[in-house]
Structure formats: C-alpha cells, structure tokens
C-alpha cells in the first residue's frame, strides 16, 4: 500500500507541532467505529494551533455526535449541505473548499472512497472535496475483507493516480473481531502524515530572512506615524518558507499576531530598528523577502513630552528612513532579494520600475485599491515579476498565496548564481530565546 509510513521518533513528532500551526485543516468524518479516534485527532490538531473545521457524513453521526467535535474544534460542525448555511451566499461547500489548506477524511469508509472515485457529490463532504484544490488525504478504516476487495483496491488506485493521498490503513485486530489490514492510523500517525503534506522541501537548508508588518515612527510619547499592515502576509511567507525546509528569521514590526513558535523571531518597532536587525545578519542569508510596510519618513526627533494642542495646525519635520531593501540589494555579495509593491493604480508599471530601481530579483505587486484583499484581509492576490518573467497568483488565502510565492522564489533562486560567502545559521531556536 502506498500510504505514508508513520514515524515513531519523538523528534519527528516535535516537527508536527511546528508545521501545523495556523494551518486550516478540514477534517471529514465518514461512518465507521474509528470515528471515536478522530476526536483525539481534533484535540491534537487544536493543541498544535491548527484551525479545524469538521464535516460529518450522515452515517458518521450514528457513531459519534457532532457536539463532541464542536466542543473539541471550537467550531460548528457541518453535517449536511441543506442545513442552514453559515456563509452569506449559502455556498458552504465552496467556502469550506477555499478555506482548507488540506482535507483529511478520517475515518474514510469504503463508501466514501467509492463516492470520491466516481466524483459523487450528494452530501457536504463529497461536494467540498470535489470543489477544493487543497490536497486531500484519506485514512481508510474498514473491515479487512472490505479493504482487500478488488472494488476498494481499484478505487484506491484510481484516487492515488489523481493525487489523493492514503494515510494507512494499518494492520491488526479489528473492532469486528477480524485480524488484518484496515485499521485506521492512530491520531499521532495521522498528525505526522498530515504535517508532511506541508513540508515541500523546496528550500531545505536555505537561510531566509523575512520582514513583516508596519514600522512605527514616534512623534511624541503617545503618537506615531505608521502604515497599514496586519503582518499576515509576511508571517504566512515566513511559515511557508519554514515548511519548505528553510532556516527562517522573521523580523517583525508591531502587529497583533502571535510570534510563530518555531521560527527565529525578532521584534522591532521603528524602520531604523528594522534596518539594524536586517543588517546584523544579512551576510548569512541566501534569500531576503521584504514584506514589511516600512514608513518612508520619520519625525526628525521624538518630542520628549506629549505635544499639546495649542494651535490650529501642527508641522512635524520629517526625514527619510533608510531604504532597507535597497541597501540589501546594494551589498557586494547580495542574497536573492524579493520586494513587495503595494499600489493603488498601474501596478505593473510601478512594480517593474521598483524591480529595476531597487535592483531586486523579484517583486510581488498587490493592488491595494481593492479593499477586499491586501492590508487587513485574510486573502490576497499578487502579480509577481522578475527580469523576463511574470506570474499571476490569483486571489486566495494568504497562507496559500504565500506557499505559491515561496514555490516561485525557490524556482527562481535555483536558477540564479548563489551567493558564495554564506555561512550556516546557528541553531535558530537558541537564538530566538534572546530575541523574543
Ligand atoms: O519604495 P516602496 O516603499 O514602494 O517599496 C516597497 C518595497 O520596499 C517593499 O518590499 C518594502 O518592504 C521595501 N521597503 C524597505 N525600506 C523602506 C521602504 C520600503 O525595505 N524604507
């Protein structure tokens, strides 16, 4: 069977914890006694900071109640396409299909496997699978004779050829008293297999520095100048690079997001602090991705006391901040440099100008005139340019856009001359102790 082999080494289990954080996992439950094990799986996923939504088939509800999964996932459980919709346009399956970073059906019954093979869409789970571009994994659970039946085996072969993944089944004693292949993988094995889905390995061992969020330029002790930026795109990029196997350093301005636990994290406030943090370690980096919305100007001096509103007008004298990315691109032995261009019009023209002027290797332009994407939205769309090439990353969640951008960066980076003087980072975990 072509299922992913479970690993038992504790270090690998630790990796699971790291790579499922902030992932949107859609867990499908079909009818089988193994459904009780999926309750533990949801607990583990939530413990690993994944967002979990559960969809149950009608027969799954005969084995375990939706309430159990609702309590454990912290989200309402969806059980039927025709129940009251929670999305505004009444298209739950589409909303779920787009939301999911990965779909895992555990337990996957012989019936569900057969239904997926034939593209059936007569309930919410099968409809969502058909509508989703996310990777789909199945954890089969059934009687050994049902699993061995050539009807099931043929279905498994067809689905495998289509790119669906099979986690298990395992062999052993079964609830029905039989012994053989057909037991569902244990929750920790499923967790490990699921995390492997996100480890693309495209940037294994590469040092990647990412800047994210806004910078704050103080006017006085209570006021500051800043830019719109939630930091979500930069954080998603840092996580995608980490999933791709890179040693990631995330330098972040003030945002309300939690620092990713498994990534070296440096918190800064002003553009000058961000510049200093970048310069301190840029010589060791092979790729630099500047996603931060850096303030171009700062007040000449921060007033020591709060400025009183004594006059109708106020003039604050400003001075240019260092252009962090341009300074990196000027380095004699520069890393592969990726910039962002947030524009409200003529995106292509300004992005290409920036690519050339700042001597970047790649630029990702986003049209921030569309208020539904970009800045504070969970979604984005990017137009990516490099010398002689272009790629449109169509609207999607920031997590998925980030993963596709990292794929593009890895591809372009593989085609360029690598910087020669890079030394491997020290243990990222050790260093992050001092910088949190
Ligand atoms: O010049 P502009 O701000 O439009 O360029 C955007 C790109 O430059 C982004 O990648 C941003 O992170 C970076 N940048 C920078 N330092 C600045 C201003 C922008 O690194 N002072």
């Amino acid at each position: 069977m072509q299922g992913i082999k479970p690993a038992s080494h504790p270090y690998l289990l630790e990796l699971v914890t790291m790579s499922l954080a902030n992932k949107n996992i859609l867990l499908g439950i079909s009818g089988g006694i193994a459904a009780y094990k999926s309750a533990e799986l949801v607990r583990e996923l939530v413990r690993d900071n994944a967002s979990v939504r559960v969809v149950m088939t009608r027969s799954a509800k005969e084995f375990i109640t939706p309430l159990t999964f609702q309590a454990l996932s912290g989200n309402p459980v969806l059980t039927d396409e025709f129940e009251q919709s929670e999305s505004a346009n009444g298209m739950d399956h589409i909303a779920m299909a787009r939301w999911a970073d990965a779909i895992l059906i555990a337990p996957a019954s012989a019936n569900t496997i057969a239904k997926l093979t034939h593209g059936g869409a007569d309930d919410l789970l099968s409809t969502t699978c058909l509508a989703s571009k996310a990777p789909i994994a199945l954890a089969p659970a059934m009687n050994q004779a049902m699993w061995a039946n050539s009807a099931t085996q043929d279905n498994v072969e067809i689905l495998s050829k289509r790119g669906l993944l099979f986690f298990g089944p395992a062999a052993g004693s079964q609830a029905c008293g039989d012994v053989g292949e057909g037991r569902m993988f244990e929750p920790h094995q499923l967790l490990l297999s699921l995390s492997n889905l996100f480890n693309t390995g495209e940037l294994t061992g590469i040092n990647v520095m990412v800047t994210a969020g806004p910078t704050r330029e103080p006017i006085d002790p209570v006021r500051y100048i800043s830019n719109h930026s939630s930091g979500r795109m930069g954080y998603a990029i840092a996580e995608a690079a980490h999933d791709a196997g890179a040693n990631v350093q995330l330098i972040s301005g003030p945002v309300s997001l939690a620092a990713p636990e498994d990534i070296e994290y440096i918190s800064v406030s002003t553009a000058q602090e961000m510049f200093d943090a970048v310069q301190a370690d840029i010589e060791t980096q092979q790729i630099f991705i500047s996603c931060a919305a850096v303030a171009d100007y700062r007040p000449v001096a921060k007033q020591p006391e709060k400025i009183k509103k004594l006059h109708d007008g106020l003039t604050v004298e400003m001075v240019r901040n260092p252009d962090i990315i341009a300074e990196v691109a000027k380095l004699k032995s520069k890393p592969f440099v990726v910039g962002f261009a947030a524009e409200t019009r003529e995106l292509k023209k300004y992005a290409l100008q920036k690519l050339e002027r700042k001597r970047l290797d790649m630029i990702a332009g986003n049209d921030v005139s569309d208020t539904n994407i970009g800045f504070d939205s969970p979604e984005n769309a990017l137009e990516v340019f490099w010398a002689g090439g272009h790629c449109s990353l169509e609207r999607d969640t920031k997590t998925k856009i980030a993963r596709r951008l990292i794929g593009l960066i890895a591809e372009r980076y593989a085609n360029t001359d690598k910087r020669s003087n890079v030394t491997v980072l020290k243990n990222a975990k050790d260093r992050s102790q001092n910088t949190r």
Side-chain angles (χ1 to χ4, degrees):
M1 193 47 245
Q2 60 275 66
I4 295 175
K5 286 266 177 292
S8 55
H9 195 285
Y11 177 67
L12 289 177
L13 288 179
E14 193 192 333
L15 283 179
V16 171
T17 317
M18 298 195 288
S19 60
L20 286 172
N22 302 324
K23 301 292 187 293
N24 293 342
I25 307 297
L26 176 59
L27 181 63
I29 317 274
S30 61
I33 184 61
Y36 79 92
K37 288 193 202 172
S38 300
E40 178 64 23
L41 176 62
V42 173
R43 245 184 120 225
E44 293 291 328
L45 286 166
V46 170
R47 199 177 286 150
D48 287 352
N49 294 319
S51 296
V52 186
R53 306 296 302 251
V54 176
V55 176
M56 298 177 79
T57 65
R58 201 165 297 129
S59 55
K61 288 189 284 180
E62 303 293 329
F63 291 90
I64 187 164
T65 68
L67 194 60
T68 304
F69 290 110
Q70 181 173 326
L72 292 171
S73 69
N75 283 315
V77 171
L78 298 169
T79 55
D80 194 289
E81 203 181 352
F82 306 107
E83 277 177 11
Q84 199 186 359
S85 165
E86 62 166 35
S87 67
N89 58 8
M91 302 258 286
D92 276 343
H93 58 292
I94 301 296
M96 297 286 274
R98 290 187 64 194
W99 173 86
D101 292 324
I103 298 177
L104 170 63
I105 304 183
S109 65
N111 180 54
T112 292
I113 290 172
K115 200 188 282 186
L116 294 182
T117 308
H118 296 287
D122 66 348
D123 62 7
L124 184 59
L125 182 56
S126 53
T127 316
T128 306
C129 288
L130 209 54
S132 185
K133 290 184 191 152
I136 300 176
L138 306 172
M142 67 196 75
N143 166 270
Q144 52 82 24
M146 291 171 75
W147 174 249
N149 191 299
S150 53
T152 304
Q153 288 302 310
D154 288 352
N155 290 340
V156 169
E157 200 180 322
I158 291 169
L159 290 176
S160 300
K161 276 194 191 130
R162 279 189 210 146
L164 277 76
L165 295 156
F166 282 85
F167 298 165
S173 63
Q174 303 200 292
C176 56
D178 280 5
V179 176
E181 213 175 355
R183 276 171 62 95
M184 190 170 92
F185 265 12
E186 295 302 320
H188 73 275
Q189 294 172 316
L190 292 175
L191 212 57
L192 182 64
S193 303
L194 201 55
S195 76
N196 283 337
L197 280 185
F198 296 98
N199 294 339
T200 64
E202 288 163 315
L203 292 175
T204 300
I206 303 289
N207 298 342
V208 176
M209 182 186 274
V210 180
T211 65
T215 64
R216 272 183 195 168
E217 314 300 329
I219 297 171
D220 65 22
V222 290
R223 304 180 181 98
Y224 58 80
I225 290 170
S226 188
N227 285 329
H228 282 299
S229 174
S230 66
R232 282 196 221 172
M233 194 65 229
Y235 278 50
I237 288 171
E239 279 169 3
H242 172 76
D243 290 344
N247 307 308
V248 181
Q249 209 177 107
L250 173 61
I251 301 173
S252 175
V255 292
S256 55
L257 304 172
E261 279 181 17
D262 42 2
I263 288 175
E264 182 178 358
Y265 180 80
I266 299 169
S267 169
V268 297
S269 184
T270 65
Q272 186 63 46
E273 285 169 20
M274 188 174 275
F275 176 78
D276 292 342
V278 168
Q279 287 295 321
D281 235 345
I282 196 64
E283 292 296 331
T284 66
Q285 304 299 316
Q286 286 139 306
I287 297 176
F288 176 66
I289 306 171
S290 180
C291 194
V294 185
D296 291 321
Y297 293 90
R298 67 174 183 273
V300 169
K302 176 183 166 186
Q303 298 305 310
E305 304 294 342
K306 183 179 174 188
I307 301 169
K308 292 289 167 202
K309 46 176 183 292
L310 302 173
H311 310 287
D312 288 342
L314 173 71
T315 304
V316 179
E317 201 186 339
M318 310 271 276
V319 42
R320 275 290 285 271
N321 269 327
D323 192 320
I324 302 170
I325 196 168
E327 291 305 316
V328 170
K330 273 187 213 157
L331 292 172
K332 215 165 159 199
S333 168
K334 74 180 186 78
F336 185 90
V337 183
V338 183
F340 271 73
E343 303 292 345
T344 49
R345 63 189 182 94
E346 298 196 77
L347 181 65
K348 181 175 179 184
K349 181 176 137 192
Y350 291 126
L352 286 174
Q353 278 176 3
K354 222 169 270 185
L355 182 76
E356 201 171 328
R357 181 167 36 90
K358 297 199 180 194
R359 298 166 63 201
L360 312 181
D361 296 291
M362 188 183 263
I363 190 146
N366 49 335
D367 178 358
V368 288
S369 66
D370 180 347
T371 48
N372 290 321
I373 57 169
F375 291 144
D376 275 329
S377 157
E379 295 195 336
N380 207 354
L382 297 176
E383 294 294 328
V384 187
F385 301 93
W386 57 92
H390 165 243
C391 181
S392 297
L393 301 183
E394 280 159 26
R395 182 175 175 165
D396 214 328
T397 63
K398 286 183 174 170
T399 309
K400 286 184 193 149
I401 290 276
R403 215 169 298 144
R404 283 156 64 198
L405 180 64
I406 285 296
L408 265 183
I409 292 171
E411 200 180 297
R412 299 308 310 158
Y413 173 70
N415 286 327
T416 54
D417 290 339
K418 312 290 179 297
R419 67 187 295 172
S420 51
N421 65 343
V422 167
T423 50
V424 175
L425 274 180
K426 284 183 276 170
N427 182 313
K429 266 192 169 171
D430 292 350
R431 294 168 50 149
S432 61
Q433 310 284 316
N434 306 324
T435 49
R436 263 165 200 274

